[in-house]
Structure formats: structure tokens, C-alpha cells
Amino acid sequence: MFFPSWLPSAVVMMIVQAEERNMYDQYWLINHLKESHGVMTIRKTLAQVEAEGLVLPDGTLVVDGRPVAVVYFRAGYAPTDYPSEVEWSARLLIEQSSAIKCPSISYHLVGTKKIQQELAKPSVLERFLDNEEDIAKLRKCFAGLWSLDNEEIVKSAIEKPDLFVLKPQREGGGNNLYGHDLRETLIRLKNEQGEALAAYILMQRIFPRASLTQLVQGGVCFEELSISELGIFGSYLRNKDKVVINNQCGYLMRTKVSSSNEGGVAAGFAVLDSILLTDE
């Protein structure tokens, strides 16, 4: 990226919510980038980007007079982050620039439940992988995933709602539907028809093995049956069709009580945990 000599040094721009609840880890990252790498970070809402931002003819994104090298989205994942056309205009401005987006709109959409459901269809993985053994390993990890135009599966879910999860195209905890709520929502969606059906997918419910865990809440230690979920972090960077980086770079372990349907840490349903490997 080329910056005109009259512009100051490029910065990282963190997209945040107007009333941000997760500012503490954000400021830790901002301080780390400054102290360890000499990189300045600015925090802006999408509305501020729309008011203060512009894209130069060479593609450079400038916000509040500063060229932006990287846009890091800590907001923009929920419908409530786009209350007006102002926020959508800001997202379009960012996407039209040459700044690195974390994530870009295409990578953002790849993370939706609908894409997971499409990848689970027969012959789709073969478009992206050549090794049959790798494809078989991936498919072995897939739970059942269906769109709501599958009338037979929808009928089964209404009859046996405890065997399914109804998932919207949302990030974070607190959005999935189970049991009675799942059945009632499916009945309503069937009656309404139209585009509302495309807002959800059905997933086979997973019943992992629970284990007795020592938990602390409010300064009190107690034992509770819990289940854990392991997520693998990846770093991915591309320049158009050229992949520059595609590596595994860590993990996140979340643990929750087995009676909880949800699993978000920030949403208050789970806690961060660590892995202990044994020979068993």
C-alpha cells in the first residue's frame, strides 16, 4: 500500500460498538500493539467511519485524517450494529478500500451457519479438497445440517425438538432455539413461509459426555457436571486470489455447565478453560 508523503503513519482501526462492553481486552490489545510493535490503533464506530472516512483514488482508506492499514472488526456482526443506512455505507466504504479487513465481508459471510450447511451437502467438499482421506475425516466431524426447505426434516424437528437445534445466521451466544421454543418457531415459520425460512438452519443436536468440574462463582467453589468446546484459532491472509498466510495459531477452550443450552463467554454462559492432555 502506498501512502502520500503528506499523510501521517498508517494505523490499525478497531471497529467498536457505541456502548462497548468488551473494552478491557480491546485496550490490552491496543497497548500491546503500541508497546511491542510501535503500531497506533484508533477505535471508531461504523457511524464515525461514515462521518470521518474517505477512500483516496489509490484505494487508501483515510479516517479522521489517518491512513488505515488494517480494519479490525470488534463490532458489525449483529443486525443491531446496522441501525441505519449510515452503518451500511461505512461497511461499503471499508470494503471498497485497499485496507486489510479482519474479516473482509466474504470471510465474514463464510462463517455463517448457512455456509456450514452448504458445505455438509454431498460433493461440495470436493470442490475445495482433493485428498479423499482428508474429505472423509472432515465429513466424520460434521453434524447433520439442513435448510428449512427440507420438509421431512422440519417435520421430524417439530415432532422431536430435543434432537435438534434451530440456528439463525448470528454470532455469539443467546440466539439458538431448543425444545419447545424450537417447535413453536418452526410452526410459525412454516405458516409464514417466504424469506423468513432462509434466516435459520436446523442442526442435529450434539450430546457430548459431561464430566464433574470444580467451578468458582462469587468466591464459592462447587462441583457441577460440565461440557467443554474446543475451538482452533487460524491466521489467514490473502491478496486477491493469492493466499499469503494460512496457519493454525492456538486454541480456545470454553466450559459450561451441562444444563446450559448456550455457550458464549461474553454472553455469560461459559468460562475460558485450558486443556490437560493425559495418556488415557
Side-chain angles (χ1 to χ4, degrees), residues 142-161:
F142 286 175
L145 294 157
W146 305 274
S147 61
L148 298 193
D149 58 7
N150 188 322
E151 295 183 4
E152 184 177 342
I153 289 296
V154 171
K155 182 175 181 290
S156 297
I158 292 173
E159 293 173 351
K160 299 177 181 179

Side-chain angles (χ1 to χ4, degrees), residues 134-241:
D134 289 342
I135 292 170
K137 286 179 180 178
L138 279 173
R139 284 222 171 91
K140 191 176 179 180
C141 298
F142 286 175
L145 294 157
W146 305 274
S147 61
L148 298 193
D149 58 7
N150 188 322
E151 295 183 4
E152 184 177 342
I153 289 296
V154 171
K155 182 175 181 290
S156 297
I158 292 173
E159 293 173 351
K160 299 177 181 179
D162 292 336
L163 299 181
F164 296 86
V165 183
L166 187 61
K167 294 189 170 187
Q169 312 301 321
R170 296 286 302 278
E171 296 283 344
N175 300 305
N176 298 335
L177 297 171
Y178 303 82
H180 174 76
D181 292 335
L182 180 151
R183 174 192 284 127
E184 293 301 308
T185 301
L186 282 179
I187 292 172
R188 175 177 59 79
L189 290 172
K190 278 188 65 178
N191 293 333
E192 291 177 357
Q193 292 296 314
E195 295 182 355
L197 291 170
Y200 296 87
I201 67 160
L202 268 171
M203 176 179 153
Q204 169 194 356
R205 186 165 184 177
I206 301 170
F207 296 95
R209 185 174 65 181
S211 58
L212 202 59
T213 305
Q214 300 285 338
L215 299 169
V216 177
Q217 186 176 44
V220 178
C221 182
F222 60 98
E223 285 189 330
E224 186 73 67
L225 284 174
S226 70
I227 54 178
S228 297
E229 179 183 89
L230 175 66
I232 305 299
F233 285 123
S235 57
Y236 178 80
L237 177 66
R238 68 177 173 88
N239 183 6
K240 296 182 179 178
D241 292 333

Side-chain angles (χ1 to χ4, degrees), residues 51 101 232 247 262 264:
K101 298 93 180 173
I232 305 299
N247 296 324
E262 296 293 346

Side-chain angles (χ1 to χ4, degrees), residues 67-126:
V68 176
V70 178
V71 182
Y72 174 37
F73 285 91
R74 290 299 298 265
Y77 299 98
T80 50
D81 290 331
Y82 301 89
S84 70
E85 287 299 318
V86 167
E87 287 75 19
W88 287 113
S89 295
R91 187 65 189 262
L92 179 60
L93 185 77
I94 292 168
E95 292 299 325
Q96 290 174 330
S97 77
S98 59
I100 296 171
K101 298 93 180 173
C102 181
S104 65
I105 191 64
S106 57
Y107 204 73
H108 182 168
L109 292 174
V110 162
T112 62
K113 306 299 187 296
K114 183 63 180 176
I115 297 299
Q116 294 176 26
Q117 179 247 311
E118 289 294 322
L119 287 172
K121 288 183 175 180
S123 303
V124 173
L125 282 179
E126 284 78 359

